[in-house]
Amino acid sequence: MGSMAEQPIVRPKHEPVLYPGDAPKTLPPLHVDPSETPGLFHVDNLTQESADTVSKLLEDNHTAHHIFLLPEHDKGVHHDLTLWSLGATPEQLKEHHHRNTLYQQKPFKATDEGTVKDMTRIFSFKKHLGNEWYYQDYVHFFEHEICQLGYQAVLQKYLVGDNEVAYDILPRMWMGYVHSIMHVGLALEFKQLKVLAEGFAQACVHHDYWYTEFLHKAEIDAAQAKAPALPLSACVDLARANPVIVNCSSVDYQRQFEGEGSQKKFVMRKEMIKDGVCGKAAGPLGIVAARYRVDPNDLERATAELINTAVYTAAASQYPPHECRVDFFLMHGTNASIWHSAFLAEPSLSPAQKARLLEYTGRAILMLYAGMGCPTPKIDWLMQQKPMVPSSADSWDEILKRACRHEDDGHMSKLVRCIAHTRVISEKYDHLPEFRMKQNMFLPAANAALDSVFNSNGGKPMEGILHFDFVRGCAWKEAWEKVPELAEDRKMAVS
């Protein structure tokens, strides 16, 4: 298949209307509450003061910013809600939010009611797909749809349903390194309908057609079941055993810079997933991805296994003798995985639909893993690293407090929260071999992730939109050039 731009569009003589009737009422304001919307994983001491603060910040972000700040995404909603669930104070919430508004992008234009009304026709809805200019219009459109139909029907009609529009939008959720599926998952977890509209709108304006081609083909191939199904952890092993997949990408994708000093900027001439993973290894990786199939009658274990594998892959991808770091792209797969607990808990989705969503995320994680060179797991090296903060060595309370203090745009707090959540949901399956991340590994992984700040950029994890507390391309030694070797006094004694 080609991109949408390559496909001729024939305007139907009579355009079917997506919903009938007048413009519906507006959605309620964004609002969180300590008892009603604490999140699936949260601390016990959530306060009303923090709830009021984050509610206002969410509403401000909804109206003030575009979803993109090229080449990044607006992750303010992710950060605000994650910090809320981890017990951040009102002062912390406001400080982090303000710091991250300094580089946000204003909406390209005001909502055009005529365009929104026009979107109620299928042809008009589709003709703006992939165009960031229409993000605000799509937000408004989905707000109307949620009001008119209810969010449950919107999920069916535009995400998992058996129709042309849902079939188009579904893979868009994983475009742009999985941010849209995160947004939708957040909306369901914290019961925020405007955030759901943002997530659908974000997916609609993505245009990375190579995700559609890969994910649709993997789904078609999986339905043929030519080889036995495997858990995601085993599919990761298969990918690493295939030299075509291992060598499809390179660290050069992360080094496309122009200029010097303050004028240095990233200029993307080649895209890692498009030109590397899909361009060079779509065939063999697709064969592996098709073997990741989820039994709808085994959803609880399968959900935990996907999240456990995502955490293990990110935590174990180390490069001795260097200090431990988490890879930026593997972290994205990990951070997206937690919201399958929200999909699992969503009563309007059928077991088959929940299984399908798991399969799409699992296959996207395989794409990210291939993009990072299929790093060999070295969890023993992570387990040898002593925490930099003794008080958090054996304390989840301290870990979560540190996550709330971490001065970035939300990547780290989401990662730490996912690690902590995964420990809980994996405990009953700790004896199973596909659960590679064992109970004794979660706290060292969280410590190692947070400790990255101490020897990175003078203790500043971010400047502008540049991150210094993650590596990019963890399978290659070049990615670790600025990461110091682990000092002898930071190594655990090996018995």
Side-chain angles (χ1 to χ4, degrees):
M1 293 184 290
S3 70
M4 289 191 61
E6 298 169 349
Q7 314 240 344
I9 298 177
V10 179
R11 191 178 187 89
K13 293 181 179 179
H14 303 287
E15 295 176 19
V17 177
L18 290 178
Y19 68 77
D22 298 328
K25 61 185 182 300
T26 59
L27 291 176
L30 291 154
H31 176 74
V32 298
D33 180 86
S35 59
E36 294 182 2
T37 54
L40 296 175
F41 179 90
H42 60 89
V43 299
D44 293 331
N45 58 337
L46 298 177
T47 68
Q48 189 60 51
E49 291 77 13
S50 288
D52 294 341
T53 299
V54 79
S55 297
K56 182 178 186 305
L57 296 176
L58 291 170
E59 194 65 42
D60 290 347
N61 184 79
H62 183 70
T63 56
H65 301 134
H66 195 279
I67 201 68
F68 293 140
L69 49 140
L70 299 177
E72 299 277 344
H73 297 77
D74 174 9
K75 298 171 285 292
V77 172
H78 303 197
H79 203 187
D80 292 341
L81 286 170
T82 298
L83 290 174
W84 150 250
S85 68
L86 296 181
T89 65
E91 292 73 23
Q92 288 174 327
L93 288 162
K94 288 184 283 190
E95 178 184 346
H96 287 304
H97 185 91
H98 173 71
R99 186 183 64 254
N100 288 309
T101 61
L102 300 178
Y103 53 81
Q104 299 293 347
Q105 187 165 245
K106 299 296 183 183
F108 293 166
K109 67 183 187 67
T111 300
D112 184 327
E113 291 296 339
T115 299
V116 174
K117 185 176 181 180
D118 198 36
M119 283 180 173
T120 63
R121 300 184 181 278
I122 291 177
F123 171 81
S124 300
F125 175 87
K126 291 176 63 177
K127 76 179 180 181
H128 300 306
L129 290 172
N131 191 334
E132 298 152 17
W133 182 259
Y134 293 97
Y135 169 71
Q136 299 297 138
D137 298 316
Y138 276 114
V139 170
H140 205 178
F141 170 80
F142 281 108
E143 288 180 349
H144 284 191
E145 284 287 81
I146 293 167
C147 286
Q148 180 88 2
L149 305 174
Y151 83 88
Q152 301 92 336
V154 168
L155 291 175
Q156 295 296 324
K157 190 171 186 177
Y158 296 100
L159 184 66
V160 294
D162 184 15
N163 64 76
E164 179 184 355
V165 173
Y167 191 69
D168 187 320
I169 293 178
L170 180 64
R172 292 177 187 271
M173 288 287 169
W174 287 267
M175 293 180 184
Y177 299 100
V178 302
H179 284 91
S180 301
I181 198 68
M182 291 190 198
H183 225 85
V184 170
L186 267 168
L188 295 180
E189 179 183 4
F190 292 96
K191 304 176 184 178
Q192 302 299 317
L193 297 181
K194 287 186 177 180
V195 174
L196 185 62
E198 291 174 358
F200 272 103
Q202 179 181 172
C204 284
V205 299
H206 269 298
H207 46 75
D208 312 342
Y209 64 85
W210 45 94
Y211 283 85
T212 295
E213 293 175 348
F214 182 86
L215 292 171
H216 275 172
K217 187 175 189 309
E219 184 172 44
I220 292 168
D221 291 347
Q224 298 176 12
K226 292 180 179 179
L230 293 173
L232 184 60
S233 56
C235 291
V236 169
D237 294 343
L238 275 184
R240 191 171 60 252
N242 187 308
V244 175
I245 299 173
V246 170
N247 295 306
C248 71
S249 186
S250 83
V251 75
D252 293 340
Y253 288 107
Q254 313 306 324
R255 299 189 162 201
Q256 302 178 81
F257 291 98
E258 286 184 355
E260 300 293 336
S262 61
Q263 301 301 311
K264 188 175 182 179
K265 61 181 180 179
F266 185 79
V267 180
M268 186 184 296
R269 298 184 182 87
K270 299 184 298 180
E271 207 283 331
M272 178 183 73
I273 300 297
K274 175 189 176 186
D275 299 301
V277 176
C278 292
K280 298 178 181 178
L285 186 63
I287 292 171
V288 174
R291 296 191 67 178
Y292 177 59
R293 302 193 292 275
V294 176
D295 182 351
N297 297 311
D298 186 31
L299 284 173
E300 183 180 334
R301 186 210 57 82
T303 299
E305 194 268 331
L306 175 131
I307 304 172
N308 184 283
T309 298
V311 170
Y312 179 81
T313 303
S317 295
Q318 304 301 328
Y319 206 96
H322 296 278
E323 289 182 357
C324 294
R325 295 287 187 275
V326 173
D327 183 274
F328 186 76
F329 291 93
L330 298 183
M331 169 269 292
H332 276 80
T334 301
N335 288 355
S337 70
I338 187 174
W339 283 294
H340 282 280
S341 289
F343 294 130
L344 180 65
E346 173 52 48
S348 70
L349 298 174
S350 72
Q353 290 167 343
K354 294 173 184 180
R356 189 184 185 200
L357 293 173
L358 281 171
E359 290 170 348
Y360 267 69
T361 292
R363 292 163 189 160
I365 287 172
L366 290 170
M367 296 169 79
L368 294 171
Y369 183 66
M372 293 300 98
C374 300
T376 300
K378 297 182 176 69
I379 196 69
D380 290 345
W381 182 248
L382 180 137
M383 297 297 289
Q384 287 185 44
Q385 180 172 290
K386 287 183 182 177
M388 292 285 283
V389 179
S391 62
S392 68
D394 58 0
S395 170
W396 279 106
D397 286 344
E398 184 59 29
I399 284 288
L400 302 184
K401 290 176 182 177
R402 289 179 63 190
C404 289
R405 296 193 295 267
H406 194 84
E407 294 184 357
D408 73 344
D409 57 357
H411 287 116
M412 187 63 73
S413 56
K414 285 188 289 185
L415 175 63
V416 169
R417 181 173 182 254
C418 184
I419 292 171
H421 172 70
T422 310
R423 178 184 69 90
V424 176
I425 65 172
S426 298
E427 185 174 10
K428 66 191 290 185
Y429 306 110
D430 202 49
H431 63 288
L432 297 178
E434 64 267 29
F435 282 74
R436 308 280 174 85
M437 196 75 183
K438 302 301 182 182
Q439 290 294 296
N440 66 319
M441 300 175 181
F442 291 103
L443 199 52
N447 271 289
L450 286 164
D451 286 349
S452 63
V453 70
F454 288 103
N455 290 318
S456 300
N457 194 42
K460 294 181 66 177
M462 275 192 76
E463 287 187 14
I465 63 172
L466 298 178
H467 296 266
F468 299 95
D469 47 354
F470 298 96
V471 295
R472 295 173 183 243
C474 57
W476 299 289
K477 65 179 181 179
E478 294 90 343
W480 298 83
E481 290 173 348
K482 295 183 180 180
V483 180
E485 294 186 5
L486 185 63
E488 288 297 321
D489 62 359
R490 289 199 61 209
K491 295 179 182 178
M492 296 281 195
V494 179
S495 56

